[in-house]
Amino acid sequence: MPEGHTIHRLARDMSELQGQKLRASSPQGRFIDGAAAVDATVLERAEAYGKHLLLRLSSGDYVHVHLGMQGKWFRSTDPTAPPLPQVRLRMATDSVAWDLVAPSKCELLDPPRVAALLSRLGPDPLRPDANLREALQAWSRAAGAIGAVLLDQAVVAGIGNVFRSEALHAVGIAPRRRAGALTERELLALWRVLQQMMSQAVEDGRIVTVDGPDRLNLPETEARKVYKQERCRDCGAPVVTDQVGGRTAYHCPVEQPS
Ligand SMILES: [Zn+2]
């Protein structure tokens, strides 16, 4: 599943549509009424909250998209080319078309329903308006292992399995440690690392946590320090895998002692 950086980058790229009148359609037919409501409106703002994309329209309504496991947006600079039949939503101008395929959610929301959606999400480290106090308090109050808490979008939004493994490794915290037992200093370090790591991933368009001049040319299998690694790329210790929060967590037993 795409993590928050993917959605933030999408929102940034889709902001090319801001201020433009949209032509909208649902070639697949599963968003016909929604597309009709989008058609001929102007996109006022494309924004990401965690893994959710919100497109604010001049009508006052929003298009809410969650990509889920399979969803993808395709951009084409030839809006006259016919869309694939499986496109749920096409939004086009005279110069560009954005096609949405296989989202887990694509719906039209009015402002109260957007507010309800956002109230179910914790602070997003990628948003400049994220409330740091709120995030640290939510973590310290959360029951269970920090590795599980990090995946809970209601506590902090946008983190998936790669960021949780790599961020916990960067701050030397084992995924099984109880969130409530971490010190304020550790929680603050975790938040800062997530902000830094996720912002870098927005810029890079992918998650690369190893350093070096050639980092962006590394294949996916070599781009992380512990996630899906056999050995920790910092110290060479064999990486430990463990089910935490229903997903496989990866950690270095030397740098992240339990
Ligand atoms: Zn290590």
Side-chain angles (χ1 to χ4, degrees):
M1 185 185 295
E3 304 196 22
H5 69 295
T6 304
I7 313 305
H8 278 266
R9 194 177 165 102
L10 255 177
R12 188 166 85 178
D13 291 347
M14 291 183 86
S15 67
E16 68 175 342
L17 297 172
Q18 276 172 199
Q20 310 271 335
K21 187 183 268 196
L22 304 170
R23 290 196 306 274
S25 59
S26 180
Q28 178 201 40
R30 285 181 59 189
F31 192 58
I32 286 184
D33 292 348
V38 175
D39 192 51
T41 64
V42 171
L43 180 70
E44 290 190 337
R45 196 162 168 78
E47 273 192 283
Y49 288 83
K51 301 177 184 177
H52 300 259
L53 179 70
L54 284 171
L55 306 171
R56 192 175 78 214
L57 307 170
S58 54
S59 61
D61 286 334
Y62 293 73
V63 177
H64 166 225
V65 174
H66 193 292
L67 292 177
M69 299 294 281
Q70 312 285 340
K72 238 178 162 45
W73 283 96
F74 295 94
R75 179 182 184 273
S76 158
T77 49
D78 179 10
T80 61
L84 296 168
Q86 65 267 39
V87 169
R88 181 81 53 92
L89 169 64
R90 163 169 280 199
M91 296 192 310
T93 65
D94 288 340
S95 54
V96 68
W98 283 84
D99 289 347
L100 174 63
V101 173
S104 74
K105 190 74 101 178
C106 173
E107 61 184 352
L108 206 63
L109 296 181
D110 60 16
R113 291 179 68 206
V114 169
L117 168 75
L118 297 183
S119 74
R120 295 193 296 272
L121 296 176
D124 172 349
L126 280 174
R127 289 190 60 88
D129 58 3
N131 186 325
L132 170 65
R133 279 287 119 207
E134 195 187 314
L136 298 191
Q137 277 171 11
W139 276 340
S140 62
R141 277 197 302 257
I146 185 66
V149 170
L150 283 182
L151 296 180
D152 184 349
Q153 304 298 301
V155 177
V156 166
I159 300 163
N161 206 14
V162 185
F163 284 132
R164 79 144 168 191
S165 291
E166 294 297 308
L168 286 173
H169 175 254
V171 294
I173 298 173
R176 280 233 171 262
R177 284 183 59 195
R178 270 199 320 114
L182 298 177
T183 64
E184 166 135 353
R185 199 189 163 122
E186 285 175 315
L187 293 174
L188 186 60
L190 184 54
W191 177 264
R192 296 276 181 241
V193 154
L194 282 164
Q195 273 185 323
Q196 188 277 328
M197 206 173 254
M198 293 170 81
S199 311
Q200 187 65 53
V202 175
E203 296 308 317
D204 294 342
R206 53 185 291 217
I207 306 174
V208 181
T209 57
V210 300
D211 308 314
D214 215 25
R215 52 190 291 284
L216 287 180
N217 295 322
L218 292 171
E220 284 297 282
T221 49
E222 294 170 24
R224 287 75 183 246
K225 290 190 174 173
V226 288
Y227 178 79
K228 291 200 174 169
Q229 302 299 309
E230 262 179 45
R231 290 184 173 274
C232 170
R233 296 171 68 89
D234 271 348
C235 73
V239 165
V240 174
T241 60
D242 202 0
Q243 290 299 306
V244 182
R247 313 268 308 271
T248 303
Y250 302 80
H251 80 276
C252 169
V254 174
E255 293 169 289
Q256 298 166 270
S258 331

